[in-house]
């Protein structure tokens, strides 16, 4: 019994072979692995290039030709590469997933161990556009072996046979494709030529579609030019042809240790830092992807790159880069090249730097946040909005002993006019990265004092009113405070310049948070109202600062009608909000409308003391 159980257990553990549905696999390739059927041509070119490279490893003088001929829904690709024997065909083409690059001492696999393509899986990709593939090959390693033919259909069937010597006299491989229904456009001569030029313009061998040359070597960034100006113009033309824009400048990306050579083009218009830049990457001359997003540091969103490398690792689809330590090192090295370019502009070409910063200052600020040396270099150039106009932090710090700043644009708009009139310089730190850079200023400029400017600081800089005068206006101030109390706003009296500003609305983030909490509590059900009520803070409330030096305020403060005082106070409150460019809440909009109508009613009476129809004066 135990013996039978043991035998049964061993039988159940015996290995089985997967059955592959080729049509299903082709559907998987076309809809999930590859982004477009266009990659079939890249796979054909890659197989041809790898075969030539393998042959030249042993025969350096061997011809290096790839020829493509498209006609009537068929495509023929000929190469002068190492070729295949019948054994190679059975080994490499009949087993899906078998790589011709795996180690096999003394065989073709060893010769091609460092190449990009995988002959079997690459040829399989052709079924995305073809219903039948025919391969005729003759081996350069075994010249006495006859040519061999491998023919496969997209249903998974294939045949292998040897051919007479006359079928192919020279070593190499010819691949014949017959288009599948609906895919004929991919095998037209025009489309094949466009794809071949896109994928293979930097390939190191002679590649042609018919009589049209595909390769264009040396690469534009490697060519000799009569002068730097001529080179700049040539690269601008290359960028326009490749990316569709004329760059502000070009940056050489030469990293020999990583086997990288290329160029980064600086965008002529600003882009969002959140927008992922797409770059063109060639791997050993073959275009790998035009949408490489992880090639550069996030801060370098203002450039588009095109480069050739022999060190980066492709993903399974060979349409993007594999995230590994090598890519991380390359990303850091390329970022350093862009950083060096910026430093060079700052040192020797301030006009070009100014033109660049006028468009891309956000990217440089992003870099300077984490790089003290870059912040120190860019300090005289990076623009900031200040009460003295557009200035660099260096210029502003030279003018003011204390660098005051606000954390939001709203706060800056509230305090800027008044602070400027009081001789207090303020920097708007509300834009992206600005407050972080301002706070980092003392680290690169020792002795600089940086201080955040809030409502209390501004109020402290305003002159107090004589206590006797303020006491005389106690009734007026009491009526004004009672009117604005439901809005969470206090009323204070100060004397400040400019005289033309009758009132100033001041608050801070804590006050705004408390205001938002109170509004949410009013609209919440009992449960949430209780929770929000428990979160009530002791933050200072917003305040409406009335300017005692303003003639209008003096006239309003002399009024005795409490209702008219309330209407005037609401009007001043609304006008102060508008001056600060604050977004209006529904309650604020209702207040403005009510105050406007009230003032119109009051103004249209010839005698303000005469009773109205409803009995009011």
């Amino acid at each position: 019994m135990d013996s039978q159980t043991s035998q049964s257990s061993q039988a159940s553990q015996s290995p089985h072979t997967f059955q592959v549905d080729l049509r299903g696999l082709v559907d998987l390739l076309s809809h999930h692995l590859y982004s477009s059927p266009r990659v079939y041509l890249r796979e054909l070119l890659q197989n041809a290039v790898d075969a030539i490279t393998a042959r030249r490893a042993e025969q350096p003088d061997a011809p290096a030709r790839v020829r493509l001929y498209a006609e009537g829904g068929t495509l023929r690709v000929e190469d002068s590469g190492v070729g295949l024997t019948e054994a190679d065909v059975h080994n490499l083409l009949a087993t899906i997933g078998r790589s011709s690059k795996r180690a096999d001492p003394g065989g073709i696999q060893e010769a091609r161990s460092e190449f990009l393509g995988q002959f079997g899986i690459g040829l399989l990709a052709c079924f995305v556009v073809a219903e039948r593939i025919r391969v005729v090959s003759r081996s350069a390693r075994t010249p006495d072996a006859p040519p061999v033919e491998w023919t496969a259909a997209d249903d998974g069937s294939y045949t292998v046979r040897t051919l007479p010597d006359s079928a192919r006299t020279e070593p190499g491989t010819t691949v014949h494709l017959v288009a599948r229904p609906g895919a004929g456009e991919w095998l037209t001569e025009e489309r094949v030529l466009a794809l071949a030029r896109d994928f293979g313009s930097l390939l190191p061998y002679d590649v042609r579609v018919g009589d049209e040359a595909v390769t264009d070597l040396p690469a534009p960034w490697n060519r000799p030019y009569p002068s730097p100006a001529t080179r700049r113009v040539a690269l601008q033309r290359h960028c326009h042809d490749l990316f569709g824009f004329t760059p502000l400048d070009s940056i050489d990306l030469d990293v020999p240790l990583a086997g990288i050579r290329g160029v980064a083009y600086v965008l002529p218009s600003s882009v969002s830092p959140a927008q992922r830049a797409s770059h063109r990457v060639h791997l050993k001359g073959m275009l790998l992807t035009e949408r490489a997003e992880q090639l550069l540091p996030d801060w370098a969103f203002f450039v588009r790159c095109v480069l050739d490398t022999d060190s980066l690792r492709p993903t399974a689809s060979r349409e993007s880069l594999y995230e590994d330590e090598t890519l991380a090192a390359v990303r850091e090295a390329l970022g350093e090249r862009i950083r060096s370019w910026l430093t060079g502009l700052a040192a020797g070409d301030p006009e070009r730097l100014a033109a660049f910063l006028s468009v891309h200052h956000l990217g440089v600020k992003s870099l300077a946040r984490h790089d003290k040396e870059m912040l120190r270099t860019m300090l005289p150039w990076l623009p900031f909005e200040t009460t003295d106009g557009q200035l660099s932090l260096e210029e502003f710090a030279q003018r003011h002993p204390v660098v005051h700043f606000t954390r939001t644009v709203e706060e800056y708009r509230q305090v800027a006019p008044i602070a400027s009139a009081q001789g207090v310089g303020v920097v708007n730190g509300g834009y992206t990265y600005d407050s972080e850079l301002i706070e980092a200023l003392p680290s690169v400029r020792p002795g600089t004092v940086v201080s955040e400017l809030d409502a209390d600081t501004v109020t402290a800089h305003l002159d107090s009113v004589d206590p006797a005068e303020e006491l005389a206006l106690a009734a007026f101030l009491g009526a004004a405070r009672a009117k604005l109390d439901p809005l969470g706003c206090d009323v204070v009296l100060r004397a400040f310049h400019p005289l033309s500003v009758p009132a100033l609305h001041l608050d801070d983030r804590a006050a705004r948070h408390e205001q938002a909490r109170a509004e949410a509590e009013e609209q919440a059900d009992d449960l949430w109202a209780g929770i929000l009520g428990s979160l009530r803070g002791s933050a200072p409330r917003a305040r409406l600062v009335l300017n005692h030096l303003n003639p209008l305020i003096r006239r309003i403060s002399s009024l005795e009608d409490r209702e008219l005082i309330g209407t005037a106070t609401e009007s001043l409150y609304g006008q102060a909000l508008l001056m600060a460019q604050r977004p209006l809440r529904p309650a604020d909009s209702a207040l403005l409308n009510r105050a406007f109508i009230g003032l119109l009613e009051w103004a249209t009476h010839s005698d303000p003391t005469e009773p109205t129809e409803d009995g009011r004066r």
Side-chain angles (χ1 to χ4, degrees):
M1 187 71 174
D2 292 342
S3 175
Q4 291 179 350
T5 303
S6 175
Q7 292 176 359
S8 174
S9 174
Q10 291 176 358
S12 65
Q13 294 177 9
S14 61
H16 300 277
T17 302
F18 281 106
Q19 301 299 312
V20 177
D21 179 355
L22 185 58
R23 284 178 175 168
L25 186 57
V26 169
D27 180 73
L28 180 67
L29 290 174
S30 59
H31 291 95
H32 301 283
L33 183 62
Y34 295 126
S35 61
S36 165
R38 68 197 296 268
V39 299
Y40 88 92
L41 194 71
R42 183 195 65 198
E43 299 297 340
L44 287 174
L45 286 176
Q46 192 63 64
N47 282 335
V49 168
D50 283 350
I52 293 172
T53 303
R55 184 177 180 186
R56 283 203 154 187
E58 295 187 1
Q59 304 174 22
D61 296 331
R65 297 186 306 269
V66 182
R67 298 290 183 266
L68 299 91
Y69 304 95
E71 183 180 1
T74 64
L75 175 64
R76 185 172 84 255
V77 181
E78 301 176 353
D79 69 64
S80 59
V82 71
L84 301 171
T85 64
E86 183 178 1
D88 294 330
V89 168
H90 282 290
N91 189 34
L92 302 179
L93 301 186
T95 305
I96 293 174
R98 175 70 58 82
S99 171
S100 64
K101 318 305 179 295
R102 294 178 184 167
D104 181 18
I108 186 174
Q109 290 88 336
E110 181 183 7
R112 299 170 68 181
S113 62
E114 297 300 323
F115 306 139
L116 177 63
Q118 291 189 5
F119 195 88
I121 197 69
L123 198 59
L124 180 63
C126 294
F127 280 121
V128 172
V129 298
E131 66 176 0
R132 190 169 71 255
I133 302 173
R134 176 171 169 258
V135 178
V136 178
S137 187
R138 184 161 194 157
S139 175
R141 283 179 169 275
T142 314
D144 294 337
V148 60
E149 177 191 72
W150 177 83
T151 304
D154 62 359
D155 62 1
S157 62
Y158 72 92
T159 60
V160 179
R161 65 183 180 126
T162 58
L163 301 176
D165 287 348
S166 59
R168 185 177 180 101
T169 59
E170 297 293 327
T173 300
T174 302
V175 179
H176 303 261
L177 302 186
V178 177
R180 64 191 309 154
E185 62 170 312
W186 293 103
L187 270 62
T188 62
E189 184 174 19
E190 182 180 6
R191 177 63 68 90
V192 169
L193 178 60
L195 292 177
R197 283 178 171 167
D198 197 31
F199 284 120
S201 62
L202 300 184
L203 289 175
Y205 304 132
D206 179 16
V207 183
R208 296 177 183 271
V209 176
D211 296 327
E212 296 288 335
V214 168
T215 53
D216 185 21
L217 294 175
W221 52 86
N222 283 333
R223 295 172 189 169
Y225 295 97
S227 66
T230 305
R231 185 177 191 272
R232 186 178 298 118
V233 171
L235 290 179
Q236 286 178 342
R237 187 182 306 112
H238 175 249
C239 177
H240 189 273
D241 294 341
L242 204 60
F243 295 116
F245 65 85
T246 300
L248 284 177
D249 206 348
S250 58
I251 308 168
D252 284 326
L253 301 178
D254 188 5
V255 187
L257 292 178
I260 286 178
R261 177 71 173 154
V263 63
Y265 294 116
V266 181
L267 291 167
S269 56
S270 60
V271 293
S272 167
Q275 179 179 332
R276 299 290 292 182
S278 297
H279 311 289
R280 287 177 65 95
V281 177
H282 296 256
L283 188 53
K284 300 172 186 173
M286 181 70 70
L287 177 66
L288 181 71
T289 179
E290 2 180 46
R291 297 186 300 274
E293 296 182 347
Q294 69 274 47
L295 187 65
L296 294 181
D298 291 340
W299 56 261
F301 56 82
F302 50 83
V303 298
R304 296 291 180 271
C305 297
V306 53
L307 54 84
D308 188 25
T309 175
D310 58 15
S311 65
L312 297 179
R313 178 182 169 193
T315 58
S317 66
R318 300 210 291 280
E319 293 187 278
S320 59
L321 298 172
Y322 190 84
E323 185 68 48
D324 57 12
E325 292 181 359
T326 301
L327 179 56
V330 166
R331 183 161 49 234
E332 183 177 347
L334 294 179
E336 182 58 37
R337 290 293 302 118
I338 297 173
R339 185 186 290 108
S340 298
W341 170 77
L342 285 170
T343 304
L345 286 187
D349 201 339
E351 291 185 3
R352 285 170 65 196
L353 178 63
F356 166 76
L357 289 178
S358 67
V359 179
H360 296 298
H361 59 274
L362 202 57
V364 180
K365 286 181 177 181
S366 175
L367 171 59
R369 287 184 306 154
H370 307 294
D371 190 324
K372 288 186 179 180
E373 189 58 38
M374 182 56 62
L375 177 59
R376 185 179 290 105
T377 301
M378 292 290 114
L379 200 59
W381 308 101
L382 289 173
F384 288 79
E385 182 181 0
T386 78
T387 49
D388 294 350
Q390 285 287 115
L391 293 177
S392 70
L393 290 181
E394 176 68 27
E395 292 176 286
F396 188 85
Q398 290 174 356
R399 297 185 184 187
H400 299 277
V402 178
V403 178
H404 291 287
F405 74 98
T406 62
R407 290 193 181 275
T408 69
V409 175
E410 292 174 347
E411 291 172 354
Y412 178 79
R413 289 170 177 166
Q414 289 180 71
V415 304
I418 307 306
S420 180
Q422 310 304 311
V424 179
V426 184
V427 183
N428 185 355
Y431 297 114
T432 306
Y433 309 135
D434 282 8
S435 60
E436 295 176 70
L437 293 175
I438 297 167
E439 289 180 307
L441 186 57
S443 67
V444 296
R445 196 178 189 275
T448 304
V449 179
V450 173
S451 174
E452 182 176 355
L453 190 68
D454 56 18
D456 289 333
T457 306
V458 175
T459 306
H461 278 81
L462 305 181
D463 295 334
S464 299
V465 178
D466 181 85
E469 292 187 51
E470 187 167 0
L471 183 61
L473 298 176
F476 161 73
L477 291 174
R481 287 167 180 153
K483 195 66 176 179
L484 295 187
D485 184 68
L487 296 174
C489 183
D490 291 331
V491 178
V492 296
L493 189 66
R494 292 290 187 273
F496 56 87
H497 293 274
L499 300 180
S500 57
V501 178
L504 177 65
H505 181 271
L506 294 176
D507 64 2
D508 54 26
R509 276 162 291 156
R512 287 195 292 274
H513 290 163
E514 174 62 19
Q515 188 178 64
R517 186 209 58 78
E519 291 176 359
E521 182 180 358
E522 291 179 3
Q523 300 173 7
D525 57 27
D526 292 342
L527 173 61
W528 281 107
I531 294 174
L532 291 170
S534 67
L535 299 176
R536 183 180 296 111
S538 58
R541 305 207 305 170
R543 67 200 70 175
L544 181 68
V545 184
L546 302 180
N547 187 0
H548 189 55
L549 301 180
N550 181 268
L552 176 62
I553 296 298
R554 287 183 173 273
R555 289 195 295 272
I556 293 175
S557 63
S558 65
L559 295 174
E560 297 181 358
D561 188 331
R562 288 184 62 88
E563 185 172 347
L564 185 54
I565 289 174
T567 301
T569 302
E570 289 181 330
S571 300
L572 291 170
Y573 174 82
Q575 188 261 354
L577 286 179
L578 294 175
M579 278 188 60
Q581 302 182 45
R582 289 288 306 278
L584 299 181
R585 299 170 296 164
D588 298 330
S589 298
L591 174 146
L592 276 173
N593 290 332
R594 183 171 64 248
F596 178 71
I597 297 299
L599 289 177
L600 283 179
E601 288 181 349
W602 181 81
T604 53
H605 295 306
S606 57
D607 183 0
T609 62
E610 182 180 333
T612 61
E613 292 181 1
D614 59 4
R616 294 186 301 168
R617 292 183 179 275

